[in-house]
Amino acid sequence: MTDDTDLIPAPRRVSGNGTAAPHVLDEHTAIDAPPDADRVAHWLRTTIGQATRLPLNPGDGRNRIRLRIRPGLAEEHGPESYRLAVDEHIVSIEGASEAGLFWGAQTLRQLLGPDAFRRAPVSERRTWELPAVVIEDAPRFRWRGMLLDVARHFMPKDSVLRYIDLLAAHKLNVLHLHLTDDQGWRLEIAAFPRLTEVGAWRARTKLGHRDSPLWDVRPHGGYYTQADIREIVAYAAERHITVVPEVDIPGHSQAAIAAYPELGNTDVIDTASLAVWDTWGVNPNVLAPTDNTLAFYEQVLTEVLELFPSPYVHLGGDECPKDQWRASPTAQARIAAEGLGDEDGLQSWFIRHFDRWLAARGRRLVGWDEILEGGLAEGATVSSWRGYAGGIAAARAGHDVIMCPEQQVYLDHRQAGGTEEPVPIGYVRTLEDVYRFEPVPPELTAVEAARVIGTQANIWTEVTETQQRVDYQVFPRLAAFAEVAWSRLPAPADRDHAGFERRMTAHYARLDALGVDYRPPAGPRPWQRRPGILGRPIEGAPPIV
Protein backbone atom coordinates (compact mmCIF):
# COMPACT_ATOMS: atom_id res chain seq x y z
CA MET A 1 0.00 0.00 0.00
CA THR A 2 1.48 3.31 -1.03
CA ASP A 3 1.12 6.44 1.07
CA ASP A 4 -0.86 8.31 -1.59
CA THR A 5 -3.82 5.95 -1.86
CA ASP A 6 -5.33 5.28 1.61
CA LEU A 7 -7.86 2.95 0.03
CA ILE A 8 -10.56 1.10 1.98
CA PRO A 9 -11.01 -1.79 1.52
CA ALA A 10 -7.34 -2.51 0.88
CA PRO A 11 -6.69 -3.78 -2.66
CA ARG A 12 -4.65 -6.88 -3.39
CA ARG A 13 -1.81 -5.06 -5.08
CA VAL A 14 -0.82 -1.41 -5.46
CA SER A 15 2.34 -0.26 -7.19
CA GLY A 16 3.72 2.95 -8.63
CA ASN A 17 3.34 3.32 -12.40
CA GLY A 18 7.01 3.72 -13.25
CA THR A 19 8.13 7.31 -13.61
CA ALA A 20 4.77 8.52 -14.88
CA ALA A 21 3.57 11.90 -13.69
CA PRO A 22 0.18 12.23 -11.97
CA HIS A 23 -2.88 12.30 -14.18
CA VAL A 24 -4.92 15.50 -14.16
CA LEU A 25 -8.65 15.36 -14.79
CA ASP A 26 -9.95 18.60 -16.27
CA GLU A 27 -12.72 19.92 -18.50
CA HIS A 28 -11.18 18.13 -21.47
CA THR A 29 -11.11 14.67 -19.86
CA ALA A 30 -13.37 12.27 -21.73
CA ILE A 31 -14.79 8.86 -20.91
CA ASP A 32 -13.99 6.22 -23.51
CA ALA A 33 -16.51 3.39 -23.01
CA PRO A 34 -18.01 0.81 -25.38
CA PRO A 35 -21.70 -0.09 -24.99
CA ASP A 36 -21.09 -2.88 -22.45
CA ALA A 37 -19.44 -0.32 -20.12
CA ASP A 38 -22.06 2.37 -20.59
CA ARG A 39 -23.70 1.96 -17.16
CA VAL A 40 -20.38 2.43 -15.37
CA ALA A 41 -19.62 5.42 -17.60
CA HIS A 42 -23.00 6.89 -16.66
CA TRP A 43 -22.27 6.39 -12.95
CA LEU A 44 -18.88 8.10 -13.29
CA ARG A 45 -20.34 10.96 -15.31
CA THR A 46 -23.15 11.62 -12.86
CA THR A 47 -21.48 10.84 -9.51
CA ILE A 48 -17.98 12.13 -10.16
CA GLY A 49 -19.27 14.77 -12.51
CA GLN A 50 -21.63 16.34 -9.99
CA ALA A 51 -18.88 16.49 -7.37
CA THR A 52 -16.18 17.89 -9.65
CA ARG A 53 -18.13 19.99 -12.16
CA LEU A 54 -16.30 18.12 -14.94
CA PRO A 55 -18.42 17.19 -17.97
CA LEU A 56 -16.63 13.85 -18.62
CA ASN A 57 -18.16 13.68 -22.07
CA PRO A 58 -17.82 10.60 -24.28
CA GLY A 59 -14.62 10.56 -26.30
CA ASP A 60 -11.33 8.83 -27.01
CA GLY A 61 -8.84 11.67 -27.00
CA ARG A 62 -5.45 11.77 -25.34
CA ASN A 63 -6.77 12.77 -21.89
CA ARG A 64 -9.36 10.14 -21.06
CA ILE A 65 -10.76 7.55 -18.67
CA ARG A 66 -10.80 4.30 -20.62
CA LEU A 67 -13.31 1.65 -19.51
CA ARG A 68 -13.15 -1.91 -20.78
CA ILE A 69 -14.63 -5.26 -19.77
CA ARG A 70 -11.98 -7.93 -20.19
CA PRO A 71 -13.41 -11.36 -19.24
CA GLY A 72 -9.95 -12.92 -19.24
CA LEU A 73 -9.26 -11.25 -15.89
CA ALA A 74 -11.76 -13.62 -14.31
CA GLU A 75 -9.64 -16.69 -15.06
CA GLU A 76 -7.03 -15.62 -12.53
CA HIS A 77 -8.86 -13.40 -10.07
CA GLY A 78 -12.60 -14.05 -10.40
CA PRO A 79 -15.61 -12.32 -11.94
CA GLU A 80 -15.44 -9.14 -9.81
CA SER A 81 -11.75 -8.42 -10.36
CA TYR A 82 -10.43 -5.22 -11.91
CA ARG A 83 -7.21 -3.49 -12.90
CA LEU A 84 -6.81 0.28 -12.64
CA ALA A 85 -3.75 1.94 -14.19
CA VAL A 86 -3.04 5.67 -14.09
CA ASP A 87 -0.38 7.53 -16.01
CA GLU A 88 -0.13 11.16 -17.05
CA HIS A 89 -2.29 10.68 -20.16
CA ILE A 90 -4.83 7.97 -19.46
CA VAL A 91 -6.78 6.36 -16.66
CA SER A 92 -7.51 2.77 -17.64
CA ILE A 93 -10.02 0.62 -15.76
CA GLU A 94 -10.48 -2.97 -16.86
CA GLY A 95 -12.99 -5.26 -15.21
CA ALA A 96 -13.56 -8.98 -15.57
CA SER A 97 -17.25 -8.06 -15.66
CA GLU A 98 -19.37 -4.96 -15.38
CA ALA A 99 -19.28 -5.46 -11.61
CA GLY A 100 -15.48 -5.53 -11.59
CA LEU A 101 -15.42 -2.40 -13.70
CA PHE A 102 -17.77 -0.69 -11.25
CA TRP A 103 -15.56 -1.57 -8.26
CA GLY A 104 -12.63 -0.10 -10.17
CA ALA A 105 -14.64 3.09 -10.65
CA GLN A 106 -15.27 3.19 -6.89
CA THR A 107 -11.52 2.98 -6.33
CA LEU A 108 -11.00 5.85 -8.78
CA ARG A 109 -13.41 7.93 -6.72
CA GLN A 110 -11.38 7.29 -3.57
CA LEU A 111 -8.16 8.31 -5.35
CA LEU A 112 -9.71 11.67 -6.20
CA GLY A 113 -10.07 12.59 -2.52
CA PRO A 114 -12.99 13.21 -0.16
CA ASP A 115 -14.54 16.05 -2.15
CA ALA A 116 -15.32 13.51 -4.88
CA PHE A 117 -17.90 12.07 -2.45
CA ARG A 118 -19.99 15.24 -2.37
CA ARG A 119 -23.14 15.89 -4.38
CA ALA A 120 -22.00 19.29 -5.65
CA PRO A 121 -18.67 21.11 -5.93
CA VAL A 122 -17.48 22.96 -2.83
CA SER A 123 -14.76 25.00 -4.54
CA GLU A 124 -13.92 26.58 -7.86
CA ARG A 125 -11.18 24.10 -8.67
CA ARG A 126 -11.10 22.95 -12.25
CA THR A 127 -8.49 20.20 -12.07
CA TRP A 128 -8.32 16.96 -10.10
CA GLU A 129 -5.08 15.03 -9.71
CA LEU A 130 -4.71 11.25 -9.59
CA PRO A 131 -1.51 9.50 -8.48
CA ALA A 132 0.30 7.39 -11.07
CA VAL A 133 -0.49 3.90 -9.78
CA VAL A 134 -1.40 0.42 -10.92
CA ILE A 135 -4.00 -1.35 -8.79
CA GLU A 136 -4.92 -5.00 -9.26
CA ASP A 137 -7.77 -6.09 -7.10
CA ALA A 138 -10.48 -8.70 -6.49
CA PRO A 139 -12.71 -9.65 -3.56
CA ARG A 140 -12.12 -12.54 -1.18
CA PHE A 141 -15.83 -13.41 -0.82
CA ARG A 142 -18.69 -13.31 -3.29
CA TRP A 143 -21.28 -12.52 -0.58
CA ARG A 144 -20.34 -9.27 1.15
CA GLY A 145 -23.47 -8.16 2.89
CA MET A 146 -25.22 -5.98 5.39
CA LEU A 147 -28.61 -6.68 6.92
CA LEU A 148 -30.82 -3.65 7.41
CA ASP A 149 -33.76 -4.21 9.75
CA VAL A 150 -36.57 -2.00 8.49
CA ALA A 151 -39.25 -3.97 10.38
CA ARG A 152 -38.54 -2.84 13.95
CA HIS A 153 -38.16 0.78 12.86
CA PHE A 154 -39.21 1.70 9.37
CA MET A 155 -36.59 3.36 7.17
CA PRO A 156 -38.03 5.53 4.39
CA LYS A 157 -37.20 4.66 0.81
CA ASP A 158 -34.73 7.52 0.34
CA SER A 159 -32.75 6.32 3.35
CA VAL A 160 -32.57 2.82 1.88
CA LEU A 161 -31.29 4.24 -1.41
CA ARG A 162 -28.69 6.20 0.55
CA TYR A 163 -27.52 3.02 2.26
CA ILE A 164 -27.20 1.30 -1.11
CA ASP A 165 -24.78 4.03 -2.13
CA LEU A 166 -22.88 3.62 1.15
CA LEU A 167 -22.59 -0.14 0.60
CA ALA A 168 -21.35 0.43 -2.94
CA ALA A 169 -18.74 2.90 -1.72
CA HIS A 170 -17.37 0.10 0.47
CA LYS A 171 -17.56 -2.57 -2.26
CA LEU A 172 -20.28 -4.51 -0.43
CA ASN A 173 -22.68 -6.27 -2.78
CA VAL A 174 -25.62 -7.64 -0.77
CA LEU A 175 -28.35 -5.68 1.00
CA HIS A 176 -30.38 -8.08 3.15
CA LEU A 177 -33.70 -6.31 3.86
CA HIS A 178 -35.45 -7.62 6.98
CA LEU A 179 -38.98 -6.73 5.87
CA THR A 180 -41.30 -8.48 8.33
CA ASP A 181 -41.38 -9.11 12.05
CA ASP A 182 -43.63 -8.98 15.10
CA GLN A 183 -43.31 -5.18 15.16
CA GLY A 184 -44.21 -4.46 11.56
CA TRP A 185 -44.83 -5.71 8.02
CA ARG A 186 -43.12 -3.41 5.50
CA LEU A 187 -43.93 -4.84 2.07
CA GLU A 188 -47.09 -4.23 0.05
CA ILE A 189 -48.71 -7.53 -0.96
CA ALA A 190 -51.57 -6.98 -3.40
CA ALA A 191 -53.32 -10.24 -2.52
CA PHE A 192 -53.42 -9.40 1.19
CA PRO A 193 -53.82 -5.64 1.69
CA ARG A 194 -54.32 -5.90 5.47
CA LEU A 195 -50.64 -6.88 5.83
CA THR A 196 -49.85 -3.20 5.39
CA GLU A 197 -53.20 -1.64 6.31
CA VAL A 198 -52.94 -3.28 9.76
CA GLY A 199 -49.53 -4.89 9.99
CA ALA A 200 -47.43 -1.86 9.07
CA TRP A 201 -48.48 0.22 12.10
CA ARG A 202 -48.14 -0.06 15.86
CA ALA A 203 -49.76 2.16 18.45
CA ARG A 204 -46.60 2.86 20.48
CA THR A 205 -42.99 1.73 20.79
CA LYS A 206 -40.80 0.62 23.68
CA LEU A 207 -37.94 3.08 24.22
CA GLY A 208 -34.72 1.21 24.79
CA HIS A 209 -34.37 -2.40 25.96
CA ARG A 210 -37.55 -4.34 26.65
CA ASP A 211 -37.03 -3.91 30.43
CA SER A 212 -37.16 -0.14 30.06
CA PRO A 213 -40.17 1.57 31.67
CA LEU A 214 -40.23 4.19 28.90
CA TRP A 215 -42.52 4.34 25.86
CA ASP A 216 -42.72 6.46 22.77
CA VAL A 217 -46.47 6.92 22.57
CA ARG A 218 -46.49 8.09 18.95
CA PRO A 219 -47.82 5.56 16.42
CA HIS A 220 -45.00 4.19 14.30
CA GLY A 221 -45.05 2.59 10.90
CA GLY A 222 -44.67 2.69 7.18
CA TYR A 223 -44.18 0.31 4.28
CA TYR A 224 -42.77 0.10 0.78
CA THR A 225 -45.15 -0.02 -2.13
CA GLN A 226 -44.34 -2.47 -4.88
CA ALA A 227 -43.21 0.48 -7.01
CA ASP A 228 -40.85 1.52 -4.18
CA ILE A 229 -39.36 -1.96 -4.10
CA ARG A 230 -38.86 -2.03 -7.85
CA GLU A 231 -37.05 1.30 -7.58
CA ILE A 232 -34.85 0.07 -4.71
CA VAL A 233 -33.98 -3.14 -6.55
CA ALA A 234 -33.19 -1.31 -9.80
CA TYR A 235 -31.09 1.31 -8.01
CA ALA A 236 -29.13 -1.42 -6.26
CA ALA A 237 -28.65 -3.42 -9.47
CA GLU A 238 -27.07 -0.41 -11.16
CA ARG A 239 -24.53 -0.50 -8.31
CA HIS A 240 -24.05 -4.28 -8.52
CA ILE A 241 -25.80 -4.89 -5.22
CA THR A 242 -28.29 -7.73 -4.80
CA VAL A 243 -31.27 -6.99 -2.57
CA VAL A 244 -32.17 -10.16 -0.66
CA PRO A 245 -35.67 -9.99 0.86
CA GLU A 246 -36.48 -11.58 4.21
CA VAL A 247 -40.00 -12.67 5.09
CA ASP A 248 -39.77 -14.28 8.53
CA ILE A 249 -41.56 -17.60 9.21
CA PRO A 250 -42.78 -19.39 11.29
CA GLY A 251 -41.79 -17.14 14.23
CA HIS A 252 -41.48 -13.34 14.32
CA SER A 253 -44.94 -13.23 12.75
CA GLN A 254 -47.27 -11.31 15.08
CA ALA A 255 -47.73 -8.40 12.65
CA ALA A 256 -49.01 -10.86 10.01
CA ILE A 257 -51.24 -12.61 12.55
CA ALA A 258 -52.63 -9.25 13.71
CA ALA A 259 -53.63 -8.57 10.11
CA TYR A 260 -54.95 -12.10 9.40
CA PRO A 261 -55.76 -13.85 12.70
CA GLU A 262 -56.41 -17.21 11.00
CA LEU A 263 -52.64 -17.51 10.45
CA GLY A 264 -52.10 -18.02 14.19
CA ASN A 265 -52.81 -20.90 16.53
CA THR A 266 -56.48 -20.18 16.98
CA ASP A 267 -57.04 -23.38 18.95
CA VAL A 268 -54.69 -22.12 21.69
CA ILE A 269 -55.16 -18.33 21.91
CA ASP A 270 -57.56 -15.63 20.77
CA THR A 271 -55.54 -14.46 17.78
CA ALA A 272 -58.19 -11.86 16.88
CA SER A 273 -57.15 -9.90 19.98
CA LEU A 274 -53.54 -9.54 18.86
CA ALA A 275 -52.13 -6.22 17.65
CA VAL A 276 -48.80 -5.41 16.06
CA TRP A 277 -46.28 -5.89 18.86
CA ASP A 278 -44.93 -2.75 20.52
CA THR A 279 -41.99 -4.14 22.47
CA TRP A 280 -38.89 -6.29 21.87
CA GLY A 281 -37.77 -9.83 22.51
CA VAL A 282 -38.85 -13.29 21.42
CA ASN A 283 -42.58 -13.39 20.76
CA PRO A 284 -44.63 -16.53 21.59
CA ASN A 285 -47.18 -15.98 18.81
CA VAL A 286 -46.11 -18.10 15.85
CA LEU A 287 -47.76 -19.35 12.66
CA ALA A 288 -50.09 -22.30 12.71
CA PRO A 289 -48.91 -25.32 10.66
CA THR A 290 -51.99 -25.44 8.48
CA ASP A 291 -52.56 -25.78 4.75
CA ASN A 292 -54.12 -22.31 4.84
CA THR A 293 -50.90 -20.83 6.25
CA LEU A 294 -48.81 -22.54 3.58
CA ALA A 295 -51.09 -21.30 0.81
CA PHE A 296 -51.07 -17.77 2.25
CA TYR A 297 -47.28 -17.55 2.29
CA GLU A 298 -47.00 -19.16 -1.13
CA GLN A 299 -49.09 -16.27 -2.45
CA VAL A 300 -46.98 -13.77 -0.52
CA LEU A 301 -43.79 -15.28 -1.91
CA THR A 302 -45.20 -15.36 -5.43
CA GLU A 303 -45.36 -11.56 -5.26
CA VAL A 304 -41.96 -11.38 -3.55
CA LEU A 305 -40.37 -13.31 -6.41
CA GLU A 306 -41.92 -10.91 -8.92
CA LEU A 307 -40.35 -7.96 -7.10
CA PHE A 308 -36.93 -9.34 -6.17
CA PRO A 309 -34.81 -11.05 -8.86
CA SER A 310 -32.32 -12.19 -6.21
CA PRO A 311 -31.46 -15.90 -6.51
CA TYR A 312 -31.74 -16.01 -2.70
CA VAL A 313 -34.84 -15.48 -0.54
CA HIS A 314 -34.40 -15.35 3.23
CA LEU A 315 -37.18 -16.95 5.26
CA GLY A 316 -35.86 -16.34 8.77
CA GLY A 317 -36.64 -19.53 10.65
CA ASP A 318 -35.15 -18.22 13.92
CA GLU A 319 -36.39 -17.74 17.46
CA CYS A 320 -39.59 -19.75 17.06
CA PRO A 321 -40.96 -20.70 20.50
CA LYS A 322 -42.74 -24.04 20.46
CA ASP A 323 -45.14 -23.60 23.40
CA GLN A 324 -48.24 -22.90 21.30
CA TRP A 325 -47.51 -25.89 19.06
CA ARG A 326 -47.14 -28.13 22.11
CA ALA A 327 -50.59 -27.00 23.30
CA SER A 328 -52.23 -27.04 19.84
CA PRO A 329 -54.23 -30.13 18.76
CA THR A 330 -53.85 -28.92 15.17
CA ALA A 331 -50.07 -28.77 15.45
CA GLN A 332 -49.85 -32.12 17.20
CA ALA A 333 -52.01 -33.68 14.51
CA ARG A 334 -49.67 -32.31 11.85
CA ILE A 335 -46.65 -33.74 13.67
CA ALA A 336 -48.31 -37.14 13.82
CA ALA A 337 -49.61 -37.11 10.25
CA GLU A 338 -46.24 -36.13 8.78
CA GLY A 339 -44.17 -38.31 11.12
CA LEU A 340 -42.19 -35.29 12.28
CA GLY A 341 -41.38 -36.57 15.77
CA ASP A 342 -41.57 -33.28 17.67
CA GLU A 343 -41.94 -29.52 17.40
CA ASP A 344 -38.39 -29.07 16.07
CA GLY A 345 -39.43 -31.37 13.26
CA LEU A 346 -42.49 -29.21 12.70
CA GLN A 347 -40.34 -26.12 12.29
CA SER A 348 -38.17 -28.04 9.83
CA TRP A 349 -41.35 -29.07 7.98
CA PHE A 350 -42.19 -25.39 7.43
CA ILE A 351 -38.72 -24.63 6.11
CA ARG A 352 -38.49 -27.76 3.93
CA HIS A 353 -41.84 -26.98 2.33
CA PHE A 354 -40.70 -23.55 1.21
CA ASP A 355 -37.24 -24.77 0.28
CA ARG A 356 -38.87 -27.11 -2.23
CA TRP A 357 -41.32 -24.40 -3.32
CA LEU A 358 -38.52 -21.90 -3.97
CA ALA A 359 -36.29 -24.48 -5.67
CA ALA A 360 -39.10 -25.34 -8.09
CA ARG A 361 -39.04 -21.66 -9.12
CA GLY A 362 -35.29 -21.43 -9.52
CA ARG A 363 -34.60 -19.70 -6.19
CA ARG A 364 -32.64 -20.69 -3.09
CA LEU A 365 -33.78 -20.48 0.51
CA VAL A 366 -31.60 -18.79 3.13
CA GLY A 367 -32.38 -19.09 6.83
CA TRP A 368 -30.87 -18.38 10.23
CA ASP A 369 -28.99 -21.27 11.80
CA GLU A 370 -32.05 -22.51 13.71
CA ILE A 371 -33.14 -24.12 10.45
CA LEU A 372 -30.57 -26.81 11.30
CA GLU A 373 -32.86 -27.99 14.11
CA GLY A 374 -35.01 -30.91 13.08
CA GLY A 375 -33.02 -31.48 9.89
CA LEU A 376 -31.78 -29.02 7.30
CA ALA A 377 -33.67 -28.45 4.07
CA GLU A 378 -31.71 -29.89 1.17
CA GLY A 379 -30.91 -26.73 -0.77
CA ALA A 380 -30.83 -24.23 2.08
CA THR A 381 -28.06 -21.74 2.79
CA VAL A 382 -27.38 -21.01 6.46
CA SER A 383 -26.84 -17.55 7.95
CA SER A 384 -24.81 -18.44 11.04
CA TRP A 385 -25.80 -15.84 13.65
CA ARG A 386 -25.66 -17.51 17.07
CA GLY A 387 -21.91 -17.97 16.63
CA TYR A 388 -19.77 -20.04 14.31
CA ALA A 389 -21.16 -23.46 15.34
CA GLY A 390 -24.18 -23.47 13.05
CA GLY A 391 -22.07 -22.43 10.10
CA ILE A 392 -19.46 -25.09 10.86
CA ALA A 393 -22.14 -27.80 11.06
CA ALA A 394 -23.78 -26.62 7.85
CA ALA A 395 -20.48 -26.42 5.94
CA ARG A 396 -19.54 -29.92 7.07
CA ALA A 397 -22.94 -31.13 5.84
CA GLY A 398 -22.27 -29.63 2.42
CA HIS A 399 -24.39 -26.48 2.71
CA ASP A 400 -23.40 -22.95 1.79
CA VAL A 401 -22.83 -20.62 4.72
CA ILE A 402 -22.90 -16.88 5.35
CA MET A 403 -20.96 -16.06 8.53
CA CYS A 404 -22.57 -13.32 10.62
CA PRO A 405 -21.98 -14.29 14.28
CA GLU A 406 -23.81 -12.03 16.71
CA GLN A 407 -20.83 -11.82 19.04
CA GLN A 408 -18.60 -10.39 16.31
CA VAL A 409 -20.52 -8.45 13.65
CA TYR A 410 -23.90 -7.41 15.05
CA LEU A 411 -23.51 -3.67 14.66
CA ASP A 412 -26.31 -2.90 17.11
CA HIS A 413 -23.86 -4.05 19.80
CA ARG A 414 -22.11 -1.18 21.59
CA GLN A 415 -18.81 0.25 20.40
CA ALA A 416 -17.23 1.03 23.77
CA GLY A 417 -17.72 0.58 27.49
CA GLY A 418 -18.73 3.32 29.89
CA THR A 419 -21.89 5.32 30.23
CA GLU A 420 -21.69 7.54 27.16
CA GLU A 421 -22.62 4.97 24.50
CA PRO A 422 -26.24 5.48 23.41
CA VAL A 423 -28.58 2.68 24.53
CA PRO A 424 -25.74 0.17 25.07
CA ILE A 425 -26.63 -3.29 23.76
CA GLY A 426 -24.55 -6.48 23.91
CA TYR A 427 -20.80 -6.88 23.89
CA VAL A 428 -18.27 -4.14 23.24
CA ARG A 429 -17.25 -4.45 19.60
CA THR A 430 -14.71 -1.78 18.73
CA LEU A 431 -13.49 -0.82 15.29
CA GLU A 432 -10.42 -2.96 15.93
CA ASP A 433 -12.53 -5.92 17.06
CA VAL A 434 -14.46 -5.86 13.79
CA TYR A 435 -11.22 -5.45 11.83
CA ARG A 436 -9.90 -8.64 13.43
CA PHE A 437 -13.07 -10.64 12.72
CA GLU A 438 -12.35 -13.79 10.68
CA PRO A 439 -15.32 -15.31 8.82
CA VAL A 440 -13.75 -18.73 8.15
CA PRO A 441 -13.19 -20.87 11.28
CA PRO A 442 -9.73 -22.47 11.29
CA GLU A 443 -11.11 -25.93 12.07
CA LEU A 444 -12.73 -26.24 8.65
CA THR A 445 -10.96 -28.20 5.94
CA ALA A 446 -10.28 -26.48 2.61
CA VAL A 447 -13.34 -28.13 1.06
CA GLU A 448 -15.53 -27.13 4.01
CA ALA A 449 -14.10 -23.59 4.06
CA ALA A 450 -15.09 -23.17 0.42
CA ARG A 451 -18.70 -23.53 1.59
CA VAL A 452 -18.39 -20.18 3.41
CA ILE A 453 -19.58 -18.11 0.48
CA GLY A 454 -19.34 -14.87 2.39
CA THR A 455 -20.00 -12.79 5.43
CA GLN A 456 -22.50 -10.23 6.59
CA ALA A 457 -22.78 -7.51 9.23
CA ASN A 458 -26.25 -7.06 10.71
CA ILE A 459 -27.88 -3.93 12.10
CA TRP A 460 -31.05 -4.59 14.09
CA THR A 461 -33.08 -1.49 14.80
CA GLU A 462 -34.98 -1.99 18.05
CA VAL A 463 -33.03 0.89 19.63
CA THR A 464 -31.91 2.67 16.45
CA GLU A 465 -35.06 4.53 15.52
CA THR A 466 -33.62 7.13 13.11
CA GLN A 467 -31.16 7.29 10.24
CA GLN A 468 -28.80 9.21 12.52
CA ARG A 469 -28.83 6.40 15.08
CA VAL A 470 -28.32 3.76 12.40
CA ASP A 471 -25.35 5.71 11.05
CA TYR A 472 -23.81 5.87 14.50
CA GLN A 473 -24.04 2.12 15.05
CA VAL A 474 -22.94 1.14 11.54
CA PHE A 475 -20.03 3.52 11.00
CA PRO A 476 -17.09 3.44 11.12
CA ARG A 477 -17.26 -0.28 11.85
CA LEU A 478 -18.75 -1.10 8.44
CA ALA A 479 -15.51 0.15 6.86
CA ALA A 480 -13.55 -2.42 8.89
CA PHE A 481 -16.06 -5.12 8.02
CA ALA A 482 -15.85 -4.23 4.32
CA GLU A 483 -12.11 -4.79 4.39
CA VAL A 484 -12.61 -8.17 6.09
CA ALA A 485 -15.13 -9.15 3.41
CA TRP A 486 -13.15 -7.84 0.42
CA SER A 487 -9.45 -8.03 1.21
CA ARG A 488 -7.26 -11.08 1.73
CA LEU A 489 -6.02 -10.20 5.19
CA PRO A 490 -3.53 -12.06 7.39
CA ALA A 491 -4.69 -14.00 10.44
CA PRO A 492 -6.54 -11.73 12.89
CA ALA A 493 -3.61 -11.28 15.29
CA ASP A 494 -1.29 -10.35 12.41
CA ARG A 495 -3.48 -7.70 10.81
CA ASP A 496 -2.02 -4.21 10.53
CA HIS A 497 -4.58 -2.35 12.57
CA ALA A 498 -2.33 0.67 12.92
CA GLY A 499 -2.11 0.91 9.15
CA PHE A 500 -5.88 0.53 8.88
CA GLU A 501 -6.37 3.36 11.41
CA ARG A 502 -4.04 5.55 9.36
CA ARG A 503 -6.11 4.88 6.25
CA MET A 504 -9.26 5.56 8.25
CA THR A 505 -8.06 9.13 8.79
CA ALA A 506 -8.65 9.71 5.08
CA HIS A 507 -11.82 7.64 5.15
CA TYR A 508 -13.42 9.73 7.90
CA ALA A 509 -13.16 12.69 5.52
CA ARG A 510 -15.02 10.65 2.88
CA LEU A 511 -17.74 9.77 5.40
CA ASP A 512 -17.99 13.46 6.34
CA ALA A 513 -18.48 14.35 2.69
CA LEU A 514 -21.18 11.68 2.43
CA GLY A 515 -22.97 13.11 5.46
CA VAL A 516 -22.58 9.99 7.61
CA ASP A 517 -23.16 10.60 11.34
CA TYR A 518 -20.51 8.06 12.42
CA ARG A 519 -19.10 7.50 15.89
CA PRO A 520 -15.89 9.57 16.20
CA PRO A 521 -12.78 7.75 17.48
CA ALA A 522 -12.86 9.81 20.69
CA GLY A 523 -16.45 8.85 21.50
CA PRO A 524 -19.97 10.07 20.84
CA ARG A 525 -20.72 13.70 20.19
CA PRO A 526 -23.20 15.25 22.64
CA TRP A 527 -26.16 14.86 20.29
CA GLN A 528 -25.33 11.21 19.68
CA ARG A 529 -25.83 10.24 23.33
CA ARG A 530 -29.14 8.95 24.65
CA PRO A 531 -29.01 9.52 28.41
CA GLY A 532 -31.59 7.77 30.54
CA ILE A 533 -32.65 5.13 28.00
CA LEU A 534 -32.01 1.62 29.27
CA GLY A 535 -29.82 -0.74 27.26
CA ARG A 536 -28.62 -4.30 27.86
CA PRO A 537 -24.83 -4.31 28.03
CA ILE A 538 -23.00 -7.63 28.37
CA GLU A 539 -19.65 -7.43 30.10
CA GLY A 540 -16.48 -9.25 29.14
CA ALA A 541 -15.12 -10.58 25.89
CA PRO A 542 -17.66 -12.33 23.66
CA PRO A 543 -17.35 -16.10 23.53
CA ILE A 544 -16.24 -17.91 20.39
CA VAL A 545 -19.16 -20.31 19.97
Side-chain angles (χ1 to χ4, degrees), residues 249-540:
I249 61 169
H252 288 286
S253 297
Q254 182 160 320
I257 296 169
Y260 292 92
E262 64 271 22
L263 296 174
N265 293 284
T266 57
D267 55 350
V268 176
I269 63 164
D270 176 16
T271 57
S273 69
L274 295 177
V276 177
W277 211 25
D278 56 13
T279 189
W280 321 121
V282 178
N283 188 299
N285 296 304
V286 302
L287 297 175
T290 64
D291 292 342
N292 175 68
T293 299
L294 297 182
F296 182 96
Y297 276 88
E298 285 176 1
Q299 182 60 54
V300 167
L301 290 171
T302 295
E303 296 192 29
V304 167
L305 298 191
E306 292 171 354
L307 295 169
F308 295 91
S310 164
Y312 295 92
V313 176
H314 205 295
L315 292 187
D318 64 316
E319 295 181 328
C320 179
K322 311 297 194 299
D323 294 343
Q324 289 184 359
W325 288 348
R326 293 187 186 98
S328 164
T330 300
Q332 292 303 311
R334 177 69 76 177
I335 290 171
E338 302 287 345
L340 301 175
D342 59 16
E343 290 75 24
D344 284 344
L346 186 57
Q347 179 169 342
S348 178
W349 171 82
F350 259 107
I351 299 301
R352 286 175 181 272
H353 175 87
F354 287 105
D355 178 66
R356 293 189 298 269
W357 189 90
L358 288 170
R361 289 154 181 82
R363 307 295 183 96
R364 295 187 62 183
L365 181 145
V366 190
W368 303 110
D369 54 57
E370 284 95 331
I371 67 173
L372 290 161
E373 298 166 4
L376 189 57
E378 183 177 346
T381 296
V382 171
S383 298
S384 189
W385 78 273
R386 291 181 295 181
Y388 289 99
I392 291 170
R396 287 176 172 167
H399 290 269
D400 287 348
V401 174
I402 302 150
M403 280 294 184
C404 50
E406 173 187 16
Q407 304 85 352
Q408 311 298 324
V409 287
Y410 267 34
L411 300 183
D412 46 306
H413 282 215
R414 58 196 173 126
Q415 303 187 62
T419 60
E420 292 188 342
E421 288 301 303
V423 200
I425 298 295
Y427 295 101
V428 171
R429 293 287 83 195
T430 66
L431 182 67
E432 181 174 358
D433 291 331
V434 175
Y435 187 66
R436 297 193 189 279
F437 164 60
E438 173 49 51
V440 179
E443 57 264 47
L444 293 181
T445 67
V447 172
E448 293 164 351
R451 286 291 186 180
V452 181
I453 63 171
T455 184
Q456 184 170 287
N458 297 340
I459 175 66
W460 302 99
T461 60
E462 288 93 335
V463 300
T464 52
E465 71 279 11
T466 64
Q467 176 179 287
Q468 186 180 48
R469 283 283 296 118
V470 173
D471 276 5
Y472 180 91
Q473 293 300 132
V474 169
F475 289 101
R477 292 182 295 180
L478 192 71
F481 174 79
E483 187 147 313
V484 169
W486 177 277
S487 307
R488 292 188 179 272
L489 298 176
D494 298 328
R495 292 177 188 173
D496 181 10
H497 181 253
F500 175 74
E501 282 193 315
R502 177 189 59 75
R503 287 183 286 122
M504 277 301 299
T505 300
H507 201 65
Y508 285 122
R510 297 177 192 128
L511 296 178
D512 287 332
L514 287 164
V516 176
D517 200 34
Y518 59 84
R519 182 191 188 275
R525 299 178 176 97
W527 62 85
Q528 293 173 322
R529 298 169 189 158
R530 299 279 279 159
I533 299 182
L534 183 69
R536 185 183 61 89
I538 305 173
E539 301 303 330

Side-chain angles (χ1 to χ4, degrees), residues 172-208:
L172 298 173
N173 68 345
V174 174
L175 174 61
H176 174 169
L177 272 185
H178 183 75
L179 290 163
T180 74
D181 216 295
D182 302 302
Q183 296 86 1
W185 184 286
R186 307 295 176 210
L187 175 63
E188 178 188 30
I189 300 295
F192 303 114
R194 285 177 59 85
L195 286 172
T196 46
E197 291 171 358
V198 174
W201 307 92
R202 58 179 182 261
R204 62 175 187 170
T205 300
K206 175 65 69 175
L207 269 179

Side-chain angles (χ1 to χ4, degrees), residues 43-66:
W43 181 86
L44 278 170
R45 192 170 290 118
T46 54
T47 305
I48 304 299
Q50 71 181 3
T52 62
R53 202 185 283 113
L54 300 179
L56 300 177
N57 291 319
D60 57 0
R62 183 171 175 84
N63 179 356
R64 70 188 192 274
I65 300 171
R66 179 180 180 273

